[in-house]
Amino acid sequence: MAVVRITAWLEERIDLWPIRHFIQKKVIPVHRHSVWYYFGGMTLFLFAIQVATGILLTLYYRPSGEEAYESVQFIMTDVQFGWLVRSIHSWSANLMVLMMMIHAFSVYLMQAYRKPRELTWVTGMLLFGIVLFFGFSGYLLPWNVLSYFATKVGTEIAGQFPLVGHLLMRLLRGGDEVTGATVSRFYGIHIAILPALTTAILALHLFLVQKQGMSVPPSVERAHRGQPLRAMPFVPNFLLRDLFGWFVTLGLLAALAALFPWELGQKADPFAPAPAGIRPEWYFVFMFQSLKYIPAKIGPFDGEVLGVLGFSLGGLFLLLVPFLDKKSALGEPSPLFRRIGIGIIAYIVIFTVLGYVAPAVP
């Protein structure tokens, strides 16, 4: 009854009919690939958890080389449920990257980037890049040994970009070395710049998704030969299924956070040698491992520079794929781009596994 009264109160002041009409008319296509539609919602749900737990951690975290580690230690030992909040924040960040990867590559393989959804894809890929940078910037904040050396390696890789590499590395570090100034800089990026960018691009992405509706794979369209597809109402059918997925994700997250609490490790010591087997977060391991296999010199060029350029071109290809794949825009089969997508997934999986099981490269 309270909801009815509030709605009536609002309708006396604001015309809600367009919103109600939109919700009533919105439908979701039903076909054999419909299950992939839910991963975008799960990514959004995990992002909301990131925001909520991140705000709580901000109340106690102190972003400096002298206090960062101790403040996280205080959160985990003295703040009530602080260990759980930090653990949920860390696990949800990793699950969000995983869900976003699944969402991005399912969209790619269903060719949902084709006309008229080019901008939806581009905004999604920009969000993907921002989420990865969220992970990179947040990894340093506890100021422990692993995060220190992983950030040192990561910023060194950024420094390999031709022409702007050194400037980019100094911009990220706030100097020539990873220091307390880097912590302060990464903290500002993590809680201010990236959230502002995410909010703006996410709003545009969601607007485009709602405006254009869910894409249907060309193969499904051809199979129905112009006949209308089966569809379900967004409210309540799809929304309830989405909520069920969120509850499952929440259960998994709670189990991981409680059974495998995120460790803090040892405080960073810039004068200590790097520990053996150091590696970045799992979603950067395939790049890290690839660079280890590239020779130091390939002809007159530095191997790492060529590797970084290769990954940059790969990212640019994914960003521009709606404009490169001309066949999918016409609703025709596009086997070349499908094979490229499967090849990229296989490459990421294989090199990630190698990063954990292969013997160290001398």
Side-chain angles (χ1 to χ4, degrees):
M1 292 299 291
V3 175
V4 174
R5 284 200 298 272
I6 291 171
T7 305
W9 186 88
L10 283 172
E11 283 193 315
E12 286 179 1
R13 292 154 179 84
I14 307 169
D15 183 11
L16 297 179
W17 182 86
I19 298 174
R20 184 181 294 125
H21 178 72
F22 173 77
I23 293 173
Q24 288 172 346
K25 295 294 181 184
K26 184 173 177 58
V27 293
I28 304 297
V30 178
H31 50 81
R32 65 180 184 276
H33 300 299
S34 296
V35 65
W36 300 109
Y37 290 152
Y38 297 98
F39 285 92
M42 288 185 196
T43 308
L44 184 62
F45 173 66
L46 288 165
F47 177 70
I49 290 179
Q50 282 283 285
V51 173
T53 53
I55 290 172
L56 292 175
L57 293 173
T58 303
L59 298 177
Y60 296 96
Y61 180 74
R62 294 191 291 273
S64 71
E66 294 76 25
E67 296 180 297
Y69 182 87
E70 285 75 10
S71 66
V72 176
Q73 200 170 41
F74 177 77
I75 290 170
M76 295 180 67
T77 55
D78 291 339
V79 177
Q80 195 167 25
F81 297 114
W83 67 271
L84 184 60
V85 173
R86 177 174 179 258
S87 197
I88 288 175
H89 190 73
S90 300
W91 277 113
S92 62
N94 283 272
L95 285 178
M96 183 173 70
V97 174
L98 177 63
M99 294 297 171
M100 181 162 259
M101 281 186 171
I102 296 173
H103 178 52
F105 282 110
S106 64
V107 169
Y108 180 99
L109 293 177
M110 289 197 296
Q111 295 174 292
Y113 51 73
R114 64 200 172 102
K115 185 182 178 181
R117 295 179 175 81
E118 298 95 328
L119 285 179
T120 312
W121 171 263
V122 169
T123 53
M125 290 307 297
L126 291 176
L127 287 172
F128 196 175
I130 291 173
V131 165
L132 292 180
F133 201 33
F134 258 121
F136 182 61
S137 57
Y139 195 55
L140 177 67
L141 300 187
W143 193 241
N144 58 26
V145 173
L146 289 178
S147 67
Y148 171 79
F149 284 103
T151 304
K152 192 172 180 182
V153 172
T155 49
E156 282 173 356
I157 291 174
Q160 297 300 319
F161 275 102
L163 302 178
V164 298
H166 184 67
L167 177 64
L168 183 61
M169 187 178 73
R170 281 185 54 84
L171 189 66
L172 287 171
R173 290 181 172 182
D176 288 323
E177 300 294 335
V178 177
T179 62
T182 317
V183 177
S184 304
R185 186 156 297 204
F186 273 36
Y187 181 68
I189 293 171
H190 194 74
I191 69 157
I193 297 175
L194 294 182
L197 286 173
T198 303
T199 303
I201 299 174
L202 181 62
L204 177 59
H205 185 74
L206 293 177
F207 169 76
L208 291 170
V209 170
Q210 299 308 316
K211 184 72 177 175
Q212 297 169 332
M214 298 293 193
S215 171
V216 176
S219 59
V220 175
E221 284 183 349
R222 288 193 297 274
H224 283 74
R225 300 179 185 281
Q227 297 297 316
L229 278 171
R230 200 155 61 89
M232 72 170 90
F234 180 77
V235 178
N237 300 45
F238 185 81
L239 182 60
L240 288 176
R241 287 170 170 80
D242 226 3
L243 287 173
F244 175 74
W246 294 7
F247 276 117
V248 171
T249 306
L250 188 61
L252 175 64
L253 182 60
L256 288 170
L259 298 176
F260 306 100
W262 209 263
E263 299 290 340
L264 179 56
Q266 298 295 316
K267 184 176 181 178
D269 180 0
F271 300 105
I278 192 85
R279 62 173 70 88
E281 284 282 68
W282 63 269
Y283 38 87
F284 292 124
V285 165
F286 75 96
M287 288 190 279
F288 179 69
Q289 191 67 17
S290 303
L291 292 175
K292 286 165 70 176
Y293 289 140
I294 298 176
K297 281 287 184 182
I298 301 177
F301 304 104
D302 288 336
E304 278 200 354
V305 172
L306 291 180
V308 170
L309 276 176
F311 287 122
S312 302
L313 290 175
L316 188 63
F317 166 80
L318 287 175
L319 184 69
L320 300 178
V321 73
F323 311 102
L324 301 174
D325 185 2
K326 304 293 184 187
K327 285 189 174 180
S328 70
L330 302 173
E332 297 176 2
S334 184
L336 173 62
F337 282 84
R338 185 176 181 78
R339 290 190 194 110
I340 291 174
I342 293 172
I344 292 172
I345 296 170
Y347 176 81
I348 292 173
V349 172
I350 291 170
F351 275 76
T352 301
V353 172
L354 283 175
Y356 287 96
V357 301
V361 178

